Amino acid sequence: MCWLRTVVISFIVGTVVGGRDFPPDFKFGAATAAYQVEGAWNVSDKSPSIWDSYIRRYPERIIDGSSGDVACDSYNQWRKDVEIASNLGLHFYRFSIAWTRLMPSGFPNTVSEDGKKFYNDLIDALLEKGIEPVVTLYHWDLPQSLQDLGGWTNPLVSDWFADYARIAFSLFGDRVKTWITLNEPIIFCEIVYNTAMHAPGILSAGVGNYLCNKHAMLAHAKAWRIYDEEFRPKYNGKVSLSNQILWLEPENENDVEITETSRQLMVGMFSHPIFSKEGGWPPVIEKIIAEKSKKEGLSKSRLPPFTQEEIDFVKGTYDFFALNYYTSRTVKKAKEGDRIGPWPMNGASDLDIHLTVRPEWKHAATSWFYIYPEGLRRQLAWLKEHYGDIEILITENGYASYDISEDDPDRVQYYKEHLEQVLLAIEDGVKVSGYTAWTMIDNFEWSDGYRSKFGLYKIDFEDPLRKRSPRASAHYYSSVVKSHSLDVDNKFTDEL
Ligand SMILES: *[C@@H]1O[C@H](CO)[C@@H](O)[C@H](O)[C@H]1NC(C)=O
């Protein structure tokens, strides 16, 4: 095949230095998420999630007017996904549970037999192949019935989520040892309410996002504490939440201080309450939003405070840090009267900043994606500096293209350059314990529909059976995984 040559060449280029092995206990995985792959949105007793409703209500907000109704049909084709994970040599496979498939009413009074069976079968098949299941509880698909009650802006959502988490831990915790409670609150709170370009499509900039942030922190903490008290003694697993972080750099030397403040908005909002010694919101951010709110004539800050009891409850609710990294931004101060774009895409009006990129950062497919591999190493160092010498699992990293072919040298390059930065971070002394490729198979990429592709495997979305075929990047990644090293030029095997 024509792409084989490209693979071999890209393996040889840049593989001169030796000693590029990963630590022996370092683990490699790949990830997917329920709404993006499962399809089967209305089978059995499954109820609609906010994404099922959103794509029906606002089809124009999906770039190609598509939906996740069928997606990769993984609800039916999951055996193929397990086969792929096994062929790639993955140590773990990260997938998410659809809350509406497991608990159709959203509450623990209904546990679906079919939903239970689907996830049991998947978990068992992975374990049979020696692949560890890493399970995300919430990857953005809230039950619509709970959205009708206010969703993430209703304080009760943390109890609803906690009940769901307990059911999942009790059903699957004997076999699932690594849990992610929430995937990327920065997306399902900040992007959602600042742009309305994701489900549930509600615009409430500067208000809804902060309510959501607080309730997400409490939801995570409740789930962690339930695991800690009721399940850890018998199952001895680990629980954290995945944070997507855009590494931020100052546009120039005048922007150094505002950049550090911006990192507290980017990282601190979802990490300071959990991972810092003091807990609570990052003080600098809490102060700025309180002052802004006062100036706006509000009687209370738009950022709802934590009580001391809540601070203590949330603090320390982690077993490791889970990082999703794709891209970076530069920060510069806005001028008086500037129009500022929505956080965290183009700016942050609460900090009076613009976000931009350096001209030399190459643009990948989809609007937000610029490539800066060094950002990953720098972000890892920042996390260690601020939250201590904790284990960090990279739960997502990968490359978007519009190219559907199997020949994807740019994706191979992206993986290679980012894995190099992971090795450098490990040399720096950061405890990176594993790496997860996003994503294993092309899937429904939210508002980008099926246009942008992240897959190691291509999916033929015209084919009713959704034929899966390995890209060059699948061969590359599998060689890295199997040789446990970036020195893969002469270890290439064509066995996918
Ligand atoms: C499920 O949704 C599909 C559209 O994706 C529709 O054709 C089918 O009739 C629905 N099935 C049920 C049982 O409602």
Side-chain angles (χ1 to χ4, degrees), residues 41-42 56 69-70:
W41 75 283
N42 58 358
R56 289 183 162 68
D69 285 1
V70 181

Side-chain angles (χ1 to χ4, degrees), residues 16 42 55 82 258 263 290 335 345-347 350 353 453:
V16 264
N42 58 358
I55 56 96
V82 173
I258 189 66
R263 289 178 190 140
K335 291 194 287 295
M345 301 176 79
N346 310 109
D350 273 332
I353 55 162
K453 312 288 184 187

Side-chain angles (χ1 to χ4, degrees), residues 368-384:
W368 51 268
F369 205 148
Y370 293 83
I371 303 168
Y372 184 48
E374 291 84 356
L376 176 55
R377 180 187 186 183
R378 289 177 191 196
Q379 187 58 61
L380 287 164
W382 190 96
L383 290 171
K384 180 179 172 178

Side-chain angles (χ1 to χ4, degrees), residues 109-146:
N109 61 333
T110 54
V111 176
S112 162
E113 283 307 314
D114 283 348
K116 209 160 75 177
K117 179 175 182 335
F118 173 65
Y119 295 111
N120 268 329
D121 287 348
L122 176 58
I123 290 165
D124 290 343
L126 287 166
L127 289 170
E128 227 160 79
K129 297 273 191 187
I131 302 162
E132 198 188 317
V134 170
V135 176
T136 308
L137 290 174
Y138 185 73
H139 206 121
W140 309 353
D141 45 358
L142 193 74
Q144 180 60 43
S145 57
L146 303 184

